[in-house]
Amino acid sequence: MTVYTNPLIVQRADPYIYKHTDGYYYFTASVPAYNLIEIRRAKTLEGLAHAAPRTIWRKHESGPMSQLIWAPEIHYIDGKWFIYFAAAETTALDQNGMFQHRMFCIECDNADPMRSEDDWIEHGQVETGMDSFSLDATCFEANDKLYYVWAQKDPDIKGNSNLYIAEMENPWTLKTKPVMVSKPEFDWETIGFWVNEGPAVIHRNGRFFLTYSASATDEHYAMGMLSIPDDQDLLDASNWSKSKTPVFQSDMATHQYGPGHNSFTVGEDGQTDILVYHCRDYTEIKGDPLYDPNRHTKVQAFTWNADGTPNFGKPVPYNYD
């Protein structure tokens, strides 16, 4: 099994890696200044570490897309590129003590998404029918339908964010009403903050597995998981099963703290499943953890248990000098 350099890319939180049909890996993530969206690509995962990033979109001077650009994800849907991200109009907190993010979508119909900033057009906010803090959108296809999964605050439910799913009319418009599939409820999901966020979806062994991250973004940050048989209605919350314990969490022995906000890709062999996530190697964070830049992108192969569920193991230790 390939051993990758870790961390693979320093100071890149909320990492997303997509392997395209052109043989390239495309990478995007939150940049520490939270002011733009960049893409880099390489033929290998290792190559991403040294690939030159290309800025393809910059925050607005004012308005809803002018502050705190978070967690971009790049997707290729029906021959076009789409990036989902969250942005706010201000860095101030609202009356509930929440940031004021909403979700947005941009599109590029050029075969090369890195060619020019001018190739990207804005579709504006992805409306969910709920006007509240929302972020961390991802999408996936199932049975020839496109689904959107994201995190959002419900003022009537304790906590920062729950996980929702909806079918999409197109990559920037929801077709159905949001269905909540998870909310913070277990002790490990409610340390520091009551949070379910950063969803990611992988389809294997007749099931869809939906991982997510919970608790505050310090050493308590950990990954949970929901699953559903792929022949059941994805929009029926009762069909989803939720793990009562974390599936991936800090390893104090190797100083790997707060692994989470993951995505999935595949190894260079086209078969090995790869977990992509961010992690810190220290716990003494000065000030707000949000503004500590040292959440680094890591990648590691994972295996599957006899019952068909993923076995993520532990965060691999840093292995670079």
Side-chain angles (χ1 to χ4, degrees), residues 163-199:
L163 297 179
Y164 296 88
I165 187 172
E167 186 185 339
M168 304 195 83
E169 184 71 40
N170 57 47
W172 59 93
T173 308
L174 300 191
K175 182 178 182 178
T176 62
K177 292 183 178 180
V179 174
M180 187 181 74
V181 293
S182 182
K183 65 180 180 180
E185 54 191 313
F186 301 122
D187 289 347
W188 63 271
E189 297 178 295
T190 57
I191 303 174
F193 295 103
W194 293 52
V195 172
N196 281 183
E197 65 181 17

mmCIF file of all heavy atoms in Angstrom, residues 163-199:
data_model
loop_
_atom_site.group_PDB
_atom_site.id
_atom_site.type_symbol
_atom_site.label_atom_id
_atom_site.label_comp_id
_atom_site.label_asym_id
_atom_site.label_seq_id
_atom_site.Cartn_x
_atom_site.Cartn_y
_atom_site.Cartn_z
ATOM 1 N N LEU A 163 -27.250 18.184 9.548
ATOM 2 C CA LEU A 163 -27.007 17.746 8.176
ATOM 3 C C LEU A 163 -28.324 17.543 7.442
ATOM 4 O O LEU A 163 -29.259 16.938 7.978
ATOM 5 C CB LEU A 163 -26.211 16.445 8.161
ATOM 6 C CG LEU A 163 -24.806 16.498 8.749
ATOM 7 C CD1 LEU A 163 -24.166 15.111 8.675
ATOM 8 C CD2 LEU A 163 -23.923 17.514 8.013
ATOM 9 N N TYR A 164 -28.356 18.026 6.197
ATOM 10 C CA TYR A 164 -29.560 17.944 5.383
ATOM 11 C C TYR A 164 -29.230 17.366 4.013
ATOM 12 O O TYR A 164 -28.100 17.468 3.519
ATOM 13 C CB TYR A 164 -30.172 19.339 5.200
ATOM 14 C CG TYR A 164 -30.657 19.950 6.492
ATOM 15 C CD1 TYR A 164 -29.789 20.694 7.285
ATOM 16 C CD2 TYR A 164 -31.964 19.778 6.925
ATOM 17 C CE1 TYR A 164 -30.215 21.239 8.489
ATOM 18 C CE2 TYR A 164 -32.400 20.322 8.117
ATOM 19 C CZ TYR A 164 -31.524 21.055 8.899
ATOM 20 O OH TYR A 164 -31.952 21.593 10.078
ATOM 21 N N ILE A 165 -30.267 16.794 3.381
ATOM 22 C CA ILE A 165 -30.147 16.283 2.021
ATOM 23 C C ILE A 165 -31.359 16.730 1.223
ATOM 24 O O ILE A 165 -32.462 16.890 1.770
ATOM 25 C CB ILE A 165 -30.021 14.736 2.010
ATOM 26 C CG1 ILE A 165 -29.719 14.228 0.602
ATOM 27 C CG2 ILE A 165 -31.262 14.077 2.575
ATOM 28 C CD1 ILE A 165 -29.394 12.733 0.548
ATOM 29 N N ALA A 166 -31.159 16.957 -0.075
ATOM 30 C CA ALA A 166 -32.256 17.270 -0.988
ATOM 31 C C ALA A 166 -31.857 16.826 -2.391
ATOM 32 O O ALA A 166 -30.671 16.750 -2.718
ATOM 33 C CB ALA A 166 -32.571 18.772 -0.984
ATOM 34 N N GLU A 167 -32.853 16.519 -3.200
ATOM 35 C CA GLU A 167 -32.585 16.269 -4.619
ATOM 36 C C GLU A 167 -32.421 17.611 -5.317
ATOM 37 O O GLU A 167 -33.011 18.625 -4.909
ATOM 38 C CB GLU A 167 -33.720 15.477 -5.248
ATOM 39 C CG GLU A 167 -33.435 15.055 -6.690
ATOM 40 C CD GLU A 167 -34.594 14.361 -7.370
ATOM 41 O OE1 GLU A 167 -35.484 13.829 -6.644
ATOM 42 O OE2 GLU A 167 -34.632 14.353 -8.618
ATOM 43 N N MET A 168 -31.633 17.633 -6.394
ATOM 44 C CA MET A 168 -31.360 18.879 -7.110
ATOM 45 C C MET A 168 -32.058 18.903 -8.472
ATOM 46 O O MET A 168 -32.132 17.891 -9.175
ATOM 47 C CB MET A 168 -29.859 19.063 -7.313
ATOM 48 C CG MET A 168 -29.049 19.022 -6.039
ATOM 49 S SD MET A 168 -27.361 19.663 -6.242
ATOM 50 C CE MET A 168 -27.650 21.431 -6.066
ATOM 51 N N GLU A 169 -32.549 20.078 -8.825
ATOM 52 C CA GLU A 169 -33.098 20.322 -10.161
ATOM 53 C C GLU A 169 -31.970 20.478 -11.166
ATOM 54 O O GLU A 169 -32.010 19.976 -12.285
ATOM 55 C CB GLU A 169 -33.974 21.577 -10.146
ATOM 56 C CG GLU A 169 -34.663 21.874 -11.454
ATOM 57 C CD GLU A 169 -35.773 20.882 -11.751
ATOM 58 O OE1 GLU A 169 -36.501 20.521 -10.805
ATOM 59 O OE2 GLU A 169 -35.904 20.475 -12.920
ATOM 60 N N ASN A 170 -30.935 21.185 -10.736
ATOM 61 C CA ASN A 170 -29.684 21.360 -11.477
ATOM 62 C C ASN A 170 -28.606 21.618 -10.430
ATOM 63 O O ASN A 170 -28.913 21.702 -9.235
ATOM 64 C CB ASN A 170 -29.792 22.487 -12.512
ATOM 65 C CG ASN A 170 -30.198 23.808 -11.880
ATOM 66 O OD1 ASN A 170 -29.657 24.222 -10.864
ATOM 67 N ND2 ASN A 170 -31.179 24.483 -12.480
ATOM 68 N N PRO A 171 -27.345 21.745 -10.816
ATOM 69 C CA PRO A 171 -26.288 21.829 -9.792
ATOM 70 C C PRO A 171 -26.329 23.054 -8.877
ATOM 71 O O PRO A 171 -25.533 23.116 -7.940
ATOM 72 C CB PRO A 171 -25.001 21.814 -10.637
ATOM 73 C CG PRO A 171 -25.370 21.048 -11.862
ATOM 74 C CD PRO A 171 -26.779 21.501 -12.164
ATOM 75 N N TRP A 172 -27.234 23.994 -9.121
ATOM 76 C CA TRP A 172 -27.300 25.156 -8.231
ATOM 77 C C TRP A 172 -28.722 25.411 -7.704
ATOM 78 O O TRP A 172 -28.979 26.409 -7.063
ATOM 79 C CB TRP A 172 -26.770 26.419 -8.931
ATOM 80 C CG TRP A 172 -27.525 26.784 -10.182
ATOM 81 C CD1 TRP A 172 -28.591 27.644 -10.286
ATOM 82 C CD2 TRP A 172 -27.290 26.296 -11.500
ATOM 83 N NE1 TRP A 172 -29.036 27.713 -11.576
ATOM 84 C CE2 TRP A 172 -28.231 26.899 -12.356
ATOM 85 C CE3 TRP A 172 -26.354 25.413 -12.067
ATOM 86 C CZ2 TRP A 172 -28.292 26.632 -13.722
ATOM 87 C CZ3 TRP A 172 -26.402 25.152 -13.426
ATOM 88 C CH2 TRP A 172 -27.362 25.752 -14.246
ATOM 89 N N THR A 173 -29.644 24.466 -7.955
ATOM 90 C CA THR A 173 -31.035 24.650 -7.549
ATOM 91 C C THR A 173 -31.579 23.365 -6.929
ATOM 92 O O THR A 173 -31.469 22.287 -7.532
ATOM 93 C CB THR A 173 -31.931 25.014 -8.752
ATOM 94 O OG1 THR A 173 -31.357 26.116 -9.454
ATOM 95 C CG2 THR A 173 -33.327 25.392 -8.288
ATOM 96 N N LEU A 174 -32.170 23.476 -5.749
ATOM 97 C CA LEU A 174 -32.772 22.309 -5.117
ATOM 98 C C LEU A 174 -34.150 22.031 -5.722
ATOM 99 O O LEU A 174 -34.901 22.946 -6.064
ATOM 100 C CB LEU A 174 -32.916 22.521 -3.611
ATOM 101 C CG LEU A 174 -31.636 22.780 -2.813
ATOM 102 C CD1 LEU A 174 -31.926 22.683 -1.316
ATOM 103 C CD2 LEU A 174 -30.524 21.822 -3.202
ATOM 104 N N LYS A 175 -34.466 20.749 -5.841
ATOM 105 C CA LYS A 175 -35.754 20.314 -6.390
ATOM 106 C C LYS A 175 -36.735 19.967 -5.288
ATOM 107 O O LYS A 175 -37.948 20.121 -5.447
ATOM 108 C CB LYS A 175 -35.535 19.101 -7.294
ATOM 109 C CG LYS A 175 -36.779 18.567 -7.980
ATOM 110 C CD LYS A 175 -36.427 17.406 -8.888
ATOM 111 C CE LYS A 175 -37.653 16.876 -9.629
ATOM 112 N NZ LYS A 175 -37.287 15.756 -10.549
ATOM 113 N N THR A 176 -36.203 19.474 -4.160
ATOM 114 C CA THR A 176 -37.055 19.044 -3.056
ATOM 115 C C THR A 176 -36.719 19.815 -1.789
ATOM 116 O O THR A 176 -35.681 20.476 -1.700
ATOM 117 C CB THR A 176 -36.882 17.534 -2.781
ATOM 118 O OG1 THR A 176 -35.524 17.289 -2.391
ATOM 119 C CG2 THR A 176 -37.213 16.722 -4.024
ATOM 120 N N LYS A 177 -37.596 19.709 -0.811
ATOM 121 C CA LYS A 177 -37.363 20.372 0.468
ATOM 122 C C LYS A 177 -36.256 19.648 1.236
ATOM 123 O O LYS A 177 -36.080 18.440 1.097
ATOM 124 C CB LYS A 177 -38.647 20.390 1.295
ATOM 125 C CG LYS A 177 -39.738 21.287 0.718
ATOM 126 C CD LYS A 177 -40.956 21.309 1.643
ATOM 127 C CE LYS A 177 -42.041 22.240 1.086
ATOM 128 N NZ LYS A 177 -43.235 22.262 1.976
ATOM 129 N N PRO A 178 -35.512 20.382 2.059
ATOM 130 C CA PRO A 178 -34.449 19.753 2.853
ATOM 131 C C PRO A 178 -35.002 18.695 3.811
ATOM 132 O O PRO A 178 -36.068 18.873 4.404
ATOM 133 C CB PRO A 178 -33.843 20.925 3.629
ATOM 134 C CG PRO A 178 -34.215 22.141 2.854
ATOM 135 C CD PRO A 178 -35.543 21.844 2.253
ATOM 136 N N VAL A 179 -34.266 17.599 3.931
ATOM 137 C CA VAL A 179 -34.579 16.549 4.900
ATOM 138 C C VAL A 179 -33.395 16.438 5.850
ATOM 139 O O VAL A 179 -32.260 16.244 5.418
ATOM 140 C CB VAL A 179 -34.806 15.197 4.196
ATOM 141 C CG1 VAL A 179 -34.977 14.081 5.236
ATOM 142 C CG2 VAL A 179 -36.009 15.275 3.272
ATOM 143 N N MET A 180 -33.647 16.594 7.142
ATOM 144 C CA MET A 180 -32.563 16.477 8.120
ATOM 145 C C MET A 180 -32.259 14.999 8.364
ATOM 146 O O MET A 180 -33.155 14.227 8.714
ATOM 147 C CB MET A 180 -32.937 17.154 9.428
ATOM 148 C CG MET A 180 -31.781 17.204 10.427
ATOM 149 S SD MET A 180 -32.202 17.989 12.000
ATOM 150 C CE MET A 180 -33.198 16.700 12.754
ATOM 151 N N VAL A 181 -30.993 14.629 8.196
ATOM 152 C CA VAL A 181 -30.598 13.232 8.428
ATOM 153 C C VAL A 181 -29.760 13.062 9.685
ATOM 154 O O VAL A 181 -29.574 11.943 10.151
ATOM 155 C CB VAL A 181 -29.844 12.651 7.212
ATOM 156 C CG1 VAL A 181 -30.779 12.540 6.017
ATOM 157 C CG2 VAL A 181 -28.614 13.476 6.871
ATOM 158 N N SER A 182 -29.236 14.157 10.241
ATOM 159 C CA SER A 182 -28.447 14.051 11.464
ATOM 160 C C SER A 182 -28.389 15.389 12.170
ATOM 161 O O SER A 182 -28.366 16.444 11.532
ATOM 162 C CB SER A 182 -27.023 13.571 11.145
ATOM 163 O OG SER A 182 -26.261 13.431 12.327
ATOM 164 N N LYS A 183 -28.349 15.332 13.496
ATOM 165 C CA LYS A 183 -28.122 16.514 14.321
ATOM 166 C C LYS A 183 -27.183 16.122 15.450
ATOM 167 O O LYS A 183 -27.055 14.933 15.793
ATOM 168 C CB LYS A 183 -29.432 17.058 14.884
ATOM 169 C CG LYS A 183 -30.130 16.120 15.853
ATOM 170 C CD LYS A 183 -31.428 16.729 16.369
ATOM 171 C CE LYS A 183 -32.112 15.770 17.346
ATOM 172 N NZ LYS A 183 -33.385 16.341 17.864
ATOM 173 N N PRO A 184 -26.477 17.080 16.050
ATOM 174 C CA PRO A 184 -25.601 16.756 17.179
ATOM 175 C C PRO A 184 -26.425 16.221 18.345
ATOM 176 O O PRO A 184 -27.370 16.878 18.785
ATOM 177 C CB PRO A 184 -24.951 18.097 17.519
ATOM 178 C CG PRO A 184 -25.165 18.964 16.318
ATOM 179 C CD PRO A 184 -26.440 18.510 15.701
ATOM 180 N N GLU A 185 -26.065 15.030 18.810
ATOM 181 C CA GLU A 185 -26.839 14.435 19.899
ATOM 182 C C GLU A 185 -25.975 13.634 20.869
ATOM 183 O O GLU A 185 -26.300 13.534 22.052
ATOM 184 C CB GLU A 185 -27.930 13.533 19.327
ATOM 185 C CG GLU A 185 -27.411 12.473 18.361
ATOM 186 C CD GLU A 185 -28.537 11.776 17.626
ATOM 187 O OE1 GLU A 185 -29.516 11.370 18.292
ATOM 188 O OE2 GLU A 185 -28.430 11.621 16.386
ATOM 189 N N PHE A 186 -24.879 13.056 20.378
ATOM 190 C CA PHE A 186 -24.014 12.267 21.242
ATOM 191 C C PHE A 186 -22.981 13.159 21.926
ATOM 192 O O PHE A 186 -22.671 14.256 21.450
ATOM 193 C CB PHE A 186 -23.315 11.174 20.434
ATOM 194 C CG PHE A 186 -24.263 10.228 19.755
ATOM 195 C CD1 PHE A 186 -24.234 10.047 18.383
ATOM 196 C CD2 PHE A 186 -25.205 9.513 20.498
ATOM 197 C CE1 PHE A 186 -25.114 9.171 17.749
ATOM 198 C CE2 PHE A 186 -26.089 8.643 19.881
ATOM 199 C CZ PHE A 186 -26.045 8.466 18.503
ATOM 200 N N ASP A 187 -22.435 12.683 23.038
ATOM 201 C CA ASP A 187 -21.467 13.474 23.799
ATOM 202 C C ASP A 187 -20.297 13.925 22.934
ATOM 203 O O ASP A 187 -19.834 15.068 23.044
ATOM 204 C CB ASP A 187 -20.936 12.658 24.977
ATOM 205 C CG ASP A 187 -21.980 12.463 26.072
ATOM 206 O OD1 ASP A 187 -23.011 13.166 26.030
ATOM 207 O OD2 ASP A 187 -21.763 11.612 26.958
ATOM 208 N N TRP A 188 -19.793 13.053 22.064
ATOM 209 C CA TRP A 188 -18.615 13.389 21.259
ATOM 210 C C TRP A 188 -18.923 14.383 20.144
ATOM 211 O O TRP A 188 -18.020 14.940 19.543
ATOM 212 C CB TRP A 188 -17.982 12.115 20.677
ATOM 213 C CG TRP A 188 -18.875 11.363 19.730
ATOM 214 C CD1 TRP A 188 -19.772 10.396 20.051
ATOM 215 C CD2 TRP A 188 -18.952 11.535 18.324
ATOM 216 N NE1 TRP A 188 -20.419 9.947 18.923
ATOM 217 C CE2 TRP A 188 -19.926 10.619 17.855
ATOM 218 C CE3 TRP A 188 -18.296 12.354 17.408
ATOM 219 C CZ2 TRP A 188 -20.272 10.516 16.504
ATOM 220 C CZ3 TRP A 188 -18.634 12.257 16.057
ATOM 221 C CH2 TRP A 188 -19.605 11.351 15.623
ATOM 222 N N GLU A 189 -20.222 14.630 19.881
ATOM 223 C CA GLU A 189 -20.626 15.600 18.851
ATOM 224 C C GLU A 189 -20.871 16.991 19.428
ATOM 225 O O GLU A 189 -21.148 17.926 18.678
ATOM 226 C CB GLU A 189 -21.920 15.150 18.179
ATOM 227 C CG GLU A 189 -21.855 13.852 17.416
ATOM 228 C CD GLU A 189 -23.200 13.471 16.827
ATOM 229 O OE1 GLU A 189 -24.142 13.212 17.617
ATOM 230 O OE2 GLU A 189 -23.323 13.446 15.598
ATOM 231 N N THR A 190 -20.783 17.121 20.740
ATOM 232 C CA THR A 190 -21.236 18.355 21.387
ATOM 233 C C THR A 190 -20.189 18.930 22.334
ATOM 234 O O THR A 190 -20.522 19.568 23.333
ATOM 235 C CB THR A 190 -22.546 18.080 22.162
ATOM 236 O OG1 THR A 190 -22.314 17.027 23.113
ATOM 237 C CG2 THR A 190 -23.657 17.655 21.220
ATOM 238 N N ILE A 191 -18.915 18.708 22.020
ATOM 239 C CA ILE A 191 -17.833 19.244 22.852
ATOM 240 C C ILE A 191 -17.433 20.620 22.312
ATOM 241 O O ILE A 191 -16.994 20.747 21.167
ATOM 242 C CB ILE A 191 -16.614 18.304 22.848
ATOM 243 C CG1 ILE A 191 -17.014 16.911 23.324
ATOM 244 C CG2 ILE A 191 -15.508 18.869 23.749
ATOM 245 C CD1 ILE A 191 -15.919 15.883 23.209
ATOM 246 N N GLY A 192 -17.584 21.636 23.131
ATOM 247 C CA GLY A 192 -17.277 22.999 22.689
ATOM 248 C C GLY A 192 -18.418 23.610 21.917
ATOM 249 O O GLY A 192 -18.949 24.660 22.285
ATOM 250 N N PHE A 193 -18.811 22.968 20.837
ATOM 251 C CA PHE A 193 -19.978 23.384 20.053
ATOM 252 C C PHE A 193 -20.784 22.144 19.658
ATOM 253 O O PHE A 193 -20.222 21.056 19.503
ATOM 254 C CB PHE A 193 -19.551 24.135 18.783
ATOM 255 C CG PHE A 193 -18.867 25.439 19.032
ATOM 256 C CD1 PHE A 193 -17.494 25.546 18.902
ATOM 257 C CD2 PHE A 193 -19.582 26.568 19.414
ATOM 258 C CE1 PHE A 193 -16.841 26.751 19.133
ATOM 259 C CE2 PHE A 193 -18.950 27.774 19.650
ATOM 260 C CZ PHE A 193 -17.574 27.869 19.510
ATOM 261 N N TRP A 194 -22.078 22.349 19.483
ATOM 262 C CA TRP A 194 -22.937 21.279 18.967
ATOM 263 C C TRP A 194 -22.915 21.371 17.444
ATOM 264 O O TRP A 194 -23.580 22.233 16.867
ATOM 265 C CB TRP A 194 -24.357 21.449 19.497
ATOM 266 C CG TRP A 194 -24.499 21.239 20.982
ATOM 267 C CD1 TRP A 194 -23.772 21.835 21.970
ATOM 268 C CD2 TRP A 194 -25.438 20.375 21.627
ATOM 269 N NE1 TRP A 194 -24.185 21.401 23.200
ATOM 270 C CE2 TRP A 194 -25.221 20.502 23.029
ATOM 271 C CE3 TRP A 194 -26.440 19.524 21.182
ATOM 272 C CZ2 TRP A 194 -25.973 19.805 23.962
ATOM 273 C CZ3 TRP A 194 -27.191 18.823 22.110
ATOM 274 C CH2 TRP A 194 -26.953 18.957 23.483
ATOM 275 N N VAL A 195 -22.158 20.475 16.815
ATOM 276 C CA VAL A 195 -21.884 20.626 15.381
ATOM 277 C C VAL A 195 -21.973 19.290 14.648
ATOM 278 O O VAL A 195 -21.425 18.290 15.094
ATOM 279 C CB VAL A 195 -20.466 21.218 15.152
ATOM 280 C CG1 VAL A 195 -20.091 21.186 13.671
ATOM 281 C CG2 VAL A 195 -20.388 22.637 15.682
ATOM 282 N N ASN A 196 -22.677 19.282 13.528
ATOM 283 C CA ASN A 196 -22.525 18.292 12.457
ATOM 284 C C ASN A 196 -22.258 19.085 11.194
ATOM 285 O O ASN A 196 -23.073 19.936 10.806
ATOM 286 C CB ASN A 196 -23.795 17.455 12.265
ATOM 287 C CG ASN A 196 -23.989 16.341 13.287
ATOM 288 O OD1 ASN A 196 -24.946 15.581 13.203
ATOM 289 N ND2 ASN A 196 -23.091 16.228 14.262
ATOM 290 N N GLU A 197 -21.124 18.837 10.538
ATOM 291 C CA GLU A 197 -20.747 19.623 9.364
ATOM 292 C C GLU A 197 -19.808 18.804 8.481
ATOM 293 O O GLU A 197 -19.488 17.650 8.775
ATOM 294 C CB GLU A 197 -20.062 20.928 9.792
ATOM 295 C CG GLU A 197 -18.726 20.729 10.501
ATOM 296 C CD GLU A 197 -18.067 22.016 10.946
ATOM 297 O OE1 GLU A 197 -18.741 23.049 11.016
ATOM 298 O OE2 GLU A 197 -16.850 21.992 11.250
ATOM 299 N N GLY A 198 -19.377 19.401 7.373
ATOM 300 C CA GLY A 198 -18.379 18.786 6.507
ATOM 301 C C GLY A 198 -18.762 17.427 5.955
ATOM 302 O O GLY A 198 -17.955 16.495 5.992
ATOM 303 N N PRO A 199 -19.981 17.252 5.397
ATOM 304 C CA PRO A 199 -20.367 15.933 4.894
ATOM 305 C C PRO A 199 -19.571 15.509 3.664
ATOM 306 O O PRO A 199 -19.140 16.340 2.860
ATOM 307 C CB PRO A 199 -21.845 16.110 4.545
ATOM 308 C CG PRO A 199 -21.985 17.569 4.219
ATOM 309 C CD PRO A 199 -21.039 18.263 5.172
#
